[in-house]
Amino acid sequence: MAQDEPAAPLATIEDFLKLDIRVGTVVRAEAFPEARKPAIKLWVDFGPELGEKKSSAQITAHYTPEELVGRQVLAVVNFPPRQIGPIQSEILVLGASDPDGAIILLAPDKPVPNGARMH
């Protein structure tokens, strides 16, 4: 959703609690040339409870695979897996659009344990 789009309809706290949004650390990142739009394949460690999950993210305007390794990100971890080309995306990494519509990743401003849940 671009910044000039109207807000979504009101949600309840129960709606919010259905989403499991966690912090994880990118442990591996690779270019994803097979994707329809430029993207990067990510492997994110969410700690011992959830383990490592993979995803594809259209974040090439601001990030290279090399600079993502070791970075903490926020992701929805309880959506059903989705096939994206040759990989199965298990999480939705979260970001916000810059003025040109390119994605900037959301992350905690201080390190937190992998698997920490967003409140």
Side-chain angles (χ1 to χ4, degrees):
M1 174 165 47
Q3 62 191 32
D4 59 345
E5 290 184 33
L10 290 178
T12 66
I13 190 67
E14 289 78 18
D15 294 330
F16 174 75
L17 293 173
K18 289 178 186 176
L19 294 176
D20 192 356
I21 300 173
R22 306 276 183 125
V23 175
T25 300
V26 177
V27 294
R28 187 170 144 207
E30 297 176 358
F32 191 6
E34 307 92 342
R36 283 184 286 139
K37 294 182 180 179
I40 297 174
K41 292 186 267 189
L42 301 172
W43 287 261
V44 182
D45 177 11
F46 290 97
E49 181 186 341
L50 297 174
E52 190 176 290
K53 305 279 184 185
K54 63 183 177 258
S55 187
S56 167
Q58 295 174 0
I59 55 175
T60 57
H62 291 291
Y63 306 99
T64 64
E66 298 77 22
E67 69 185 288
L68 290 167
V69 175
R71 179 187 181 96
Q72 287 198 303
V73 295
L74 284 163
V76 177
V77 299
N78 66 331
F79 284 153
R82 182 175 172 191
Q83 195 69 37
I84 300 176
I87 74 162
Q88 189 167 56
S89 182
E90 302 171 298
I91 57 173
L92 176 64
V93 177
L94 300 176
S97 298
D98 72 6
D100 297 321
I103 301 300
I104 305 290
L105 292 171
L106 298 180
D109 65 353
K110 295 188 186 324
V112 297
N114 287 337
R117 188 165 184 180
M118 188 186 80
H119 303 282

